Amino acid sequence: MGIRIKGTGRCIPERILTNADLEKMVDTSDEWITSRTGIKERHLAAPGETTSDMAAAAAKQALELAGMTADMLDLIIVSTVTPDMMFPNTATIVQKKIGAKPCVCFDIEAACSGLLYGLNTAYGMMASPLKYQRALIIGAEKLSAITDWSDRSTCVLFGDAAAAVILENDNDPSTPDFYADGFVCADGNLGDVLLMPAGGSVLPASHETVENHQHFIKMGGPKTFQLAVHSMVDACRILLEREAVPREKIRWVIPHQANWRIISAVASRLGMEEKVYQNVERYGNTSSASIGICLDELNRSGQLQSGDCVLAVSFGAGLTWSALLIRW
Ligand code: COA
């Protein structure tokens, strides 16, 4: 069919918040944060900088690399848990900001698994009789807007950023698709481990919800940790076994960048430590942006060659999890 990744991009906000900065805000230490998470610093959006601003900046970079203009797109998907507003969806706001023509635009809310949910969905739409030709898939998060800066158990973990991927169908049956195989799953029974309780229709914003800090991320840390490791390992094994891919064929494993301890536990259970790409120490957990940032860093630094096999895997609120076997 010939559906290929033609471009990648990222937007990392300028402002850096280091562990030393956090020591001045809550009762924590660089030693605690580094030893429990591997994170040294994270980037935060400027006050007026929105999720769609970062998404549009990442999209423009990806379009440039792909040698395309925005009016060539016929599908735009944005994954985010921090949309600019409840509606319209952030994909339509990005569409306007990058100057794309009228086309299909929607958001995916699958938390940290969102970019992989988006790539799986876009591929399905492009490979189906719907025949979309050029898709822009973005993971974009302004997590600083929903982070409780007085809660030391969560505020040290997250950062803001966006990343984008451009897919194009060259309609050449001899070109192998980027999509070798994918796995997507969720289990709503585990949803209360990681959530933002208020702001939806169950608890609309009120003085009480604001006073009770219910517009912020709430997380059961240790439980999330266990579920993350278990589900990501499981998803990778399903793809590796289903496609009969020997470990040595994989060039890179790109796990969602939540925490270095989660990443290394997943890598060691898979026996693929030396193949793991990680940058969590520089960005913290940027949710649906994290895998896209890794892909873009590898792509722009020439560490991905045509034909390379990449295994991306993610986990997030929902609970959602997903893996994608990519032919570069
Ligand atoms: N600085 C210092 N101490 C902290 C702290 C911080 N930033 N945050 C929590 N603590 C304290 C706790 O209050 C607790 O103290 P207590 O024993 O006196 O009650 C102690 O450290 C241990 O907390 P615990 O939660 O058991 O630590 P942990 O080893 O599980 O590490 C996380 C905590 C959050 C780093 C870890 O559970 C984790 O990474 N979970 C997954 C988070 C994640 O990735 N979420 C997103 C998924 S997409």
Side-chain angles (χ1 to χ4, degrees):
M1 206 144 11
I3 300 170
R4 306 291 303 160
I5 293 179
K6 300 299 277 192
T8 57
R10 66 182 187 271
C11 171
I12 311 294
E14 273 177 32
R15 185 177 157 209
I16 294 177
L17 187 76
T18 64
N19 290 351
D21 296 327
L22 280 162
E23 285 175 355
K24 295 177 203 137
M25 296 162 63
V26 287
D27 180 14
T28 191
S29 65
D30 174 48
E31 193 283 320
W32 193 96
I33 302 170
T34 307
S35 63
R36 304 293 171 111
T37 71
I39 300 166
K40 294 303 255 181
E41 58 188 37
R42 65 291 290 144
H43 290 245
L44 302 187
E49 195 174 10
T50 62
T51 296
S52 65
D53 288 337
M54 293 186 282
K60 284 178 186 166
Q61 272 199 0
L63 282 165
E64 198 181 340
L65 205 62
M68 286 182 202
T69 49
D71 61 353
M72 295 164 80
L73 297 167
D74 50 12
L75 173 62
I76 301 176
I77 301 176
V78 173
S79 160
T80 186
V81 294
T82 49
D84 281 13
M85 52 193 86
M86 292 290 276
F87 62 88
N89 70 52
T90 303
T92 58
I93 302 171
V94 171
Q95 175 194 35
K96 179 177 161 192
K97 287 186 175 172
I98 63 174
K101 66 180 188 202
C103 65
V104 176
C105 298
F106 61 90
D107 288 3
I108 283 184
E109 206 281 66
C112 307
S113 306
L115 191 81
L116 296 189
Y117 263 63
L119 287 167
N120 273 283
T121 303
Y123 178 73
M125 292 176 73
M126 294 174 82
S128 79
L130 296 168
K131 290 194 168 36
Y132 290 92
Q133 292 296 301
R134 293 177 202 91
L136 166 63
I137 300 93
I138 303 172
E141 305 289 3
K142 186 174 175 179
L143 295 175
S144 59
I146 58 165
T147 296
D148 185 344
W149 293 103
S150 65
D151 175 8
R152 68 177 182 171
S153 69
T154 52
C155 75
V156 302
L157 301 174
F158 301 104
D160 299 334
V165 176
I166 303 275
L167 301 178
E168 183 180 41
N169 190 348
D170 68 11
N171 300 307
D172 178 350
S174 66
T175 314
D177 289 344
F178 84 97
Y179 189 98
D181 198 0
F183 174 82
V184 188
C185 201
D187 185 354
N189 292 303
L190 302 165
D192 56 3
V193 178
L194 181 52
L195 75 167
M196 187 177 100
S201 55
V202 170
L203 280 178
S206 66
H207 289 295
E208 202 182 347
T209 59
V210 172
E211 274 160 21
N212 292 337
H213 291 219
Q214 288 173 298
H215 296 272
F216 295 129
I217 300 167
K218 307 284 176 197
M219 183 182 66
K223 183 80 182 155
T224 307
F225 192 111
Q226 277 170 19
L227 290 166
V229 174
H230 177 79
S231 55
M232 289 203 285
V233 169
D234 214 39
C236 289
R237 285 193 178 136
I238 287 171
L239 290 193
L240 292 170
E241 279 160 28
R242 194 154 74 189
E243 296 303 313
V245 184
R247 302 279 192 277
E248 50 289 0
K249 280 261 174 168
I250 304 284
R251 173 87 201 278
W252 293 107
V253 177
I254 306 181
H256 167 48
Q257 307 286 304
N259 174 324
W260 171 242
R261 282 162 61 220
I262 294 177
I263 294 170
S264 66
V266 170
S268 79
R269 280 168 176 72
L270 292 171
M272 298 171 92
E273 289 96 328
E274 76 291 355
K275 295 176 188 281
V276 164
Y277 186 76
Q278 73 90 24
N279 55 24
V280 71
E281 76 276 8
R282 288 183 277 138
Y283 305 122
N285 181 346
T286 59
S287 189
S288 62
S290 88
I291 288 178
I293 295 170
C294 296
L295 269 181
D296 189 53
E297 287 188 347
L298 284 168
N299 190 20
R300 284 171 195 269
S301 60
Q303 295 182 79
L304 280 169
Q305 308 302 327
S306 179
D308 278 350
C309 210
V310 178
L311 178 59
V313 62
S314 63
F315 165 89
L319 297 174
T320 57
W321 63 103
S322 182
L324 182 60
L325 202 51
I326 299 170
R327 275 189 218 100
W328 197 257

